[in-house]
Amino acid sequence: MSRYRLLPTPAQQAVLRDHCAHARYVWNLAVEQHGHWHPGRKGAPGYREQCAQLTQARAEYPWLAAGSQTVQQQALRDFAQAMAAFFDPGNPAGRPSWRKAGRHEGFRIVGRGSQWDVRRVSRKAGQVWVPKAGWVRFRWSRTVPPGAKSYRVTMDRAGRWHVAFAVIPGPVPAPGNGQAVGIDRGVAVSAALSTGELLHAPALSARERTRLRRLQRTLARAKRGSNRRGRVRHAIARLRARETDRRKDWVEKTSTGIVRRFDLIRVEDLQIGNMTRSARGTRDHPGRNVRPKAALNRGILGSGWGLLVRRLEDKAPGRVEKIKPHYTSQRCSACGQVDRDSRESQAVFRCTACGFAGHADVNAAINIAAGHAVTARGGDGVTRPVNREPHLLLPSA
Ligand SMILES: [Zn+2]
């Protein structure tokens, strides 16, 4: 998703805000309808039926009718897609939920057929067509990807507008060097490569973090509904948005770098959706170690691991392999012994059998690179013809 800063005029902003409100209203209507549905009942209304209901709602509510039908219909289409993702067992997406004013502000536009609704007006500015708002300027901060089919306009909590062109990055040619790399998602570091490289997703600087903490304290003391509270929230939202921007940028650059350097990329098959969902458990089966797990989940989500893997797959289709994560962190990459005591600490691995020592995440990444679906006995679950196995680039320590 390449995102650009949108610069609507005040009059256009009013139109965009209405679009956001309508899209949210329609989305929440769909959520409500599905909320009444239980297994065993007649199916919840599908997209077509909802469109008919939308026409009816537009006839009843002038404020809805005054808005763009394109925007409202698209919200229903997005919802249908979100439901499909939710029912797809291979997709970690959760059930589509309520959208709140001020938090989820956005709508999607689908380009009009062959005519693409973006144009460049100067070296630094472009324009994008939005129904009822006309041509809206945006900052041409990089090339707009060709082949985008739709775009999403959003307003973040800091009140900034963005337009993002939905385009799946095209495949990057493999280097053809026969090299494989393993990537382990870490918590302390964002990703460790089997080459020994440790990659850190950018976070807020120490100064920014101090400022964030101070703002959060101020917010806790500020009176509800006061101007000061509003200003502080705004400042917090801006800091958070800055961090998110940096992470997304980092994922794009990092994934491109990796797929250019290696023919084969192996990652742990972590079902992030399941991991983050399961920590709390249910009432009958309360989760164990809820707090450490919750912290780990924050780390995984925070380090943008899911997005990184998705981007690797987009850019290197057919070159990304998912490896079962069992014991990759307890297995010695030098001798193959599996022993949980070898994991000396979060960062250090020291084999209890052969004495091999190294960065724990790198050790795991080497196991992943080797494609070992390791069993508890330390055996190799996979057998591959040796001559077809891409060779491993080991840390040059
Ligand atoms: Zn060992």
Side-chain angles (χ1 to χ4, degrees):
M1 207 71 153
S2 36
R3 221 160 63 119
Y4 302 77
R5 186 71 178 273
L6 198 62
L7 307 162
T9 64
Q12 286 175 330
Q13 279 191 40
V15 176
L16 299 187
R17 276 176 199 278
D18 279 349
H19 285 347
C20 290
H22 295 148
R24 192 175 59 239
Y25 176 82
V26 168
W27 174 280
N28 285 341
L29 213 59
V31 171
E32 198 185 334
Q33 285 177 335
H34 276 261
H36 292 311
W37 180 82
H38 298 287
R41 272 204 199 176
K42 188 172 136 304
Y47 170 65
R48 268 172 207 293
E49 204 175 325
Q50 284 181 333
C51 275
Q53 286 167 353
L54 176 62
T55 310
Q56 208 179 339
R58 279 170 64 88
E60 269 172 59
Y61 303 108
W63 72 275
L64 202 59
S68 155
Q69 189 161 12
T70 313
V71 167
Q72 295 162 17
Q73 264 178 11
Q74 192 55 49
L76 285 181
R77 215 167 285 146
D78 289 350
F79 180 83
Q81 225 167 60
M83 281 310 281
F86 171 63
F87 285 118
D88 175 5
N91 194 318
R95 178 182 271 276
S97 59
W98 292 91
R99 290 196 169 159
K100 296 196 179 81
R103 202 189 293 174
H104 309 107
E105 299 286 13
F107 58 91
R108 200 150 72 91
I109 304 289
V110 173
R112 295 171 296 186
S114 58
Q115 185 189 359
W116 177 230
D117 305 290
V118 176
R119 63 189 189 194
R120 191 172 188 171
V121 292
S122 72
R123 201 167 64 81
K124 287 188 171 168
Q127 287 181 329
V128 60
W129 180 264
V130 178
K132 293 188 188 278
W135 290 103
V136 183
R137 282 172 78 81
F138 68 90
R139 218 175 269 159
W140 194 280
S141 43
R142 62 197 124 149
T143 316
V144 172
K149 295 272 189 305
S150 74
Y151 40 101
R152 188 167 168 77
V153 173
T154 51
M155 187 184 72
D156 63 20
R157 286 201 235 188
R160 300 180 310 174
W161 292 92
H162 289 95
V163 60
F165 300 99
V167 60
I168 294 167
V172 175
N177 55 12
Q179 281 176 5
V181 70
I183 311 175
D184 181 37
R185 65 96 186 82
V187 176
V189 292
S190 303
L193 304 192
S194 51
T195 56
E197 288 160 85
L198 301 174
L199 309 177
H200 300 260
L204 293 177
S205 69
R207 258 180 76 180
E208 287 166 331
R209 278 202 306 276
T210 311
R211 176 144 182 271
L212 182 62
R213 272 197 300 275
R214 207 165 51 228
L215 286 167
Q216 280 164 336
R217 276 199 302 272
T218 314
L219 184 69
R221 284 195 304 265
K223 256 217 314 252
R224 285 196 156 270
S226 65
N227 281 338
R228 192 162 93 110
R229 195 180 166 86
R231 272 201 312 276
V232 174
R233 281 179 72 133
H234 186 85
I236 290 175
R238 279 182 55 158
L239 272 175
R240 290 255 159 82
R242 197 183 295 172
E243 188 178 32
T244 307
D245 283 356
R246 277 181 207 161
R247 290 241 155 101
K248 285 187 175 161
D249 226 51
W250 176 83
V251 164
E252 292 304 335
K253 286 190 186 125
T254 306
S255 55
T256 301
I258 290 172
V259 303
R260 278 204 185 128
R261 285 170 57 201
F262 304 97
D263 274 351
L264 183 62
I265 298 128
R266 287 187 172 133
V267 296
E268 271 185 296
D269 186 9
L270 286 179
Q271 294 198 321
I272 295 186
N274 289 343
M275 285 185 71
T276 49
R277 246 181 288 171
S278 65
R280 197 169 296 155
T282 62
R283 207 181 53 181
D284 295 335
H285 303 276
R288 289 191 306 167
N289 305 323
V290 168
R291 280 178 66 188
K293 269 188 200 162
L296 175 70
N297 290 341
R298 268 199 305 281
I300 293 170
L301 295 176
S303 59
W305 175 254
L307 182 61
L308 181 64
V309 172
R310 207 153 64 233
R311 278 295 171 262
L312 289 170
E313 288 177 321
D314 289 339
K315 295 175 184 177
R319 294 199 280 131
V320 177
E321 277 184 11
K322 290 190 170 169
I323 302 300
K324 282 203 166 56
H326 307 303
Y327 304 104
T328 48
S329 63
Q330 296 173 15
R331 179 185 186 273
C332 172
S333 61
C335 74
Q337 139 119 341
V338 175
D339 183 358
R340 80 161 68 159
D341 291 338
S342 296
R343 185 82 187 240
E344 205 171 88
S345 68
Q346 183 76 259
V348 178
F349 182 94
R350 194 181 306 279
C351 179
T352 52
C354 76
F356 165 83
H359 193 287
D361 291 338
V362 173
N363 176 70
I366 297 171
N367 287 330
I368 294 164
H372 287 296
V374 196
T375 65
R377 273 185 226 101
D380 194 335
V382 186
T383 40
R384 286 162 181 282
V386 175
N387 56 348
R388 283 179 54 197
E389 178 73 1
H391 67 265
L392 259 176
L393 203 63
L394 292 177
S396 45

